[in-house]
Amino acid sequence: MDAINIILEFESGKREEIEKDIYSPERECVDFNILLPCPKELIEQVSGSPERAGVDLVKKYNKRFDIASPTLRDDVRAFLDEYKKEEHFLTRDVFVEDPQNMESVINSVIAYQKYGFANWYEFNYDKWGVSQNAFHFGKKRRTNSGGFYFVTGGGIPVKWLLALSKKWPDVVFKVYSRMEFLDRGGFVSVYHFKNNEYIRVPDEKRNF
């Protein structure tokens, strides 16, 4: 996955309030979880093939379970057992090779019923637009104008930026991005986000 270097800048009289939605002093980095937090239960879920197979069966049959039922786990287990032959990874990885994986599959099914997502990976892509939280390389954290340096994998966090701009509709959030190992003669891609919309503007030269 290609690393994308990003600078996020904006001007506002409410900078201090807005920065609380963007930057985590504890992580010393931009943190998507502040504005759009991923439930802890999803963070703990495994995102393997058996887990996806179990959730796919639930989707296929539009199956609904009573989350509050004391027999919830047994109900999920019985459903998976009934339809296991339709999913190769359930038959091989769970019911044949390693029955202990069943608990993880059940957890994913229950998480999907609660949140509409089976794991953190699905949540992040849907809510943030990227699979991983922002991270950072090097010593620079802030630009001279008070902006933020950060890195993502595979692309810019479009959905997170749209949510940020929707919360602060009068602010133009300027995003400068470049791929880690792509030399474009100093030019970077530039986007402006405002009020839940964005446009791409002409590329600029920008040092990272």
Side-chain angles (χ1 to χ4, degrees):
M1 182 179 294
D2 294 320
I4 309 296
N5 293 283
I6 295 174
I7 293 174
L8 172 61
E9 294 183 327
F10 64 93
E11 296 180 3
S12 174
K14 299 179 179 179
R15 171 174 288 277
E16 187 173 338
E17 295 176 61
I18 297 173
E19 287 188 357
K20 291 178 181 178
D21 286 334
I22 298 173
Y23 187 80
S24 167
E26 291 76 21
R27 295 184 70 232
E28 296 185 330
C29 187
V30 170
D31 190 342
F32 307 149
N33 262 309
I34 298 172
L35 186 63
L36 300 171
C38 181
K40 182 180 179 181
E41 191 171 350
L42 294 183
I43 295 174
E44 297 171 349
Q45 297 307 315
V46 176
S47 57
S49 297
E51 289 75 19
R52 287 195 298 272
V55 173
D56 284 345
L57 279 177
V58 171
K59 292 178 181 179
K60 178 178 180 180
Y61 289 98
N62 196 26
K63 179 66 176 179
R64 301 299 302 177
F65 296 98
D66 181 1
I67 296 299
S69 171
T71 62
L72 173 60
R73 300 189 72 83
D74 290 336
D75 295 341
V76 174
R77 188 188 308 273
F79 170 79
L80 295 174
D81 188 36
E82 181 178 359
Y83 295 102
K84 63 187 177 186
K85 292 183 179 180
E86 297 184 27
E87 291 288 348
H88 167 72
F89 288 109
L90 276 181
T91 303
R92 188 196 69 181
D93 295 5
V94 177
F95 287 95
V96 175
E97 294 185 359
D98 191 356
Q100 291 183 352
N101 283 339
M102 175 56 73
E103 295 306 311
S104 178
V105 176
I106 292 173
N107 289 339
S108 291
V109 169
I110 293 173
Y112 173 73
Q113 294 278 278
K114 287 183 178 180
Y115 305 106
F117 305 99
N119 52 63
W120 57 269
Y121 186 89
E122 293 181 4
F123 177 94
N124 292 355
Y125 255 118
D126 186 83
K127 300 298 183 181
W128 303 346
V130 291
S131 63
Q132 301 284 345
N133 202 353
F135 56 99
H136 194 273
F137 288 133
K139 296 181 179 180
K140 286 186 177 181
R141 295 291 193 275
R142 307 293 293 268
T143 67
N144 292 334
S145 63
F148 300 92
Y149 291 101
F150 64 99
V151 181
T152 64
I156 66 173
V158 171
K159 293 184 177 181
W160 175 79
L161 287 161
L162 287 171
L164 181 66
S165 69
K166 183 178 181 179
K167 182 172 181 180
W168 303 99
D170 297 327
V171 179
V172 176
F173 294 94
K174 299 179 181 180
V175 177
Y176 305 85
S177 70
R178 71 173 178 86
M179 292 180 63
E180 178 73 25
F181 301 109
L182 181 62
D183 183 6
R184 299 179 57 208
F187 282 93
V188 300
S189 300
V190 187
Y191 305 84
H192 289 178
F193 287 76
K194 184 178 181 182
N195 195 19
N196 203 32
E197 296 182 345
Y198 75 97
I199 59 172
R200 180 166 180 175
V201 299
D203 294 353
E204 297 181 17
K205 279 199 170 185
R206 182 75 189 253
N207 292 323
F208 274 74

